[in-house]
Amino acid sequence: MGVSERLTVSFADADAQIQGVAIAGVGTLLKLGEQLTAAAPPLFAPDDGSWRVSSPEGFELSLASWGHGTALSEGGTFVCPCGATGIVGSSHFDGLAMLSRAPADSEPGFALERSLAILFDPQLTFALSAGRRQGADGHGEEQLAAVAFRGEPLEPVAIEKPRLSSTYDAESQLTHAGLELWESEESEFALRIGGEALAHGELRDPDGALTRVSFIAWHHDGRHGLGSYAIRSTP
């Protein structure tokens, strides 16, 4: 891993009821069935065109790209859907992952950043990012970018007009998320995705930034998948 990058992987195996989010230099959160546990920051290592990602006593996965990754915005986070196999906790893992690589100094001035990984199956995944600058008033002033990955191998399709809505409970914990994705101005209908939060955790950056992670059950057009919704706020 280069020092100029911030690497994150979100992964899920629906059959094993395992979900995880791991951020290099920050930490790891794992949902093992109904149990939420923390682990050490992951180590990322290139492995003959793939990646090996591991956290001591947490997990060890091999990531194999399923298609072509893409940048969510010009000069911004690069995302790539992957197949993931290995061990998480003491369980075998054979599932899906979204690898993201962001420049460490990307988008200075963002006080709050959201990142979503939506993992349905090897033929359909989504990624979304949103950034809000210091002093902005709510969602209306966020900069959103999203991409759909479709086909076999997966090919990226940029979303021209993404919309994200989020619902929180009295303790400010995320409960639901909804996406409307208009692929182009000519699109007759928006693609709609809904999600319900299953568990919550937090990871703290060395610089004090806080990342709140929600593990999500996603649904769209008869499909059901897993993934994550992370909110990173700076001090």
Side-chain angles (χ1 to χ4, degrees):
M1 181 189 72
V3 296
S4 62
E5 292 181 316
R6 187 172 69 244
L7 271 70
T8 301
V9 63
S10 176
F11 51 91
D13 180 343
D15 291 338
Q17 299 184 52
I18 294 173
Q19 293 172 262
V21 169
I23 307 173
V26 179
T28 299
L29 285 173
L30 301 172
K31 181 180 178 294
L32 311 174
E34 298 301 316
Q35 180 184 2
L36 188 69
T37 184
L43 301 175
F44 288 77
D47 182 20
D48 193 23
S50 302
W51 288 83
R52 294 195 68 80
V53 190
S54 61
S55 170
E57 300 183 8
F59 70 94
E60 183 171 348
L61 295 176
S62 177
L63 307 182
S65 173
W66 274 340
H68 300 292
T70 189
L72 283 167
S73 60
E74 186 175 353
T77 300
F78 185 90
V79 291
C80 184
C82 302
T85 56
I87 299 294
V88 178
S90 59
S91 300
H92 175 70
F93 184 98
D94 187 358
L96 321 175
M98 186 69 72
L99 175 67
S100 70
R101 305 173 64 179
D105 58 352
S106 64
E107 299 293 355
F110 278 162
L112 186 144
E113 298 174 85
R114 305 173 193 268
S115 56
L116 281 66
I118 303 171
L119 309 169
F120 285 115
D121 54 52
Q123 286 78 47
L124 186 66
T125 65
F126 298 85
L128 180 143
S129 69
R132 187 188 307 172
R133 297 192 180 279
Q134 192 73 40
D137 295 325
H139 289 287
E141 294 188 31
E142 283 187 317
Q143 299 177 22
L144 275 75
V147 63
F149 293 92
R150 294 196 187 96
E152 192 175 356
L154 291 170
E155 294 287 346
V157 179
I159 304 299
E160 188 165 320
K161 188 168 66 173
R163 292 178 178 173
L164 170 64
S165 60
S166 309
T167 304
Y168 301 88
D169 62 17
E171 284 72 45
S172 299
Q173 296 273 32
L174 180 78
T175 57
H176 297 84
L179 290 85
E180 289 188 357
L181 306 177
W182 300 84
E183 290 190 16
S184 71
E185 294 291 344
E186 290 74 36
S187 298
E188 186 175 359
F189 301 105
L191 184 153
R192 290 180 169 83
I193 301 172
E196 290 76 45
L198 303 174
H200 307 278
E202 294 183 350
L203 296 171
R204 179 75 67 173
D205 284 38
D207 66 2
L210 178 67
T211 300
R212 291 176 288 156
V213 176
S214 297
F215 292 107
I216 306 291
W218 298 106
H219 51 86
H220 156 67
D221 195 26
R223 278 183 161 98
H224 296 273
L226 297 173
S228 59
Y229 184 135
I231 303 174
R232 182 177 186 267
S233 54
T234 57

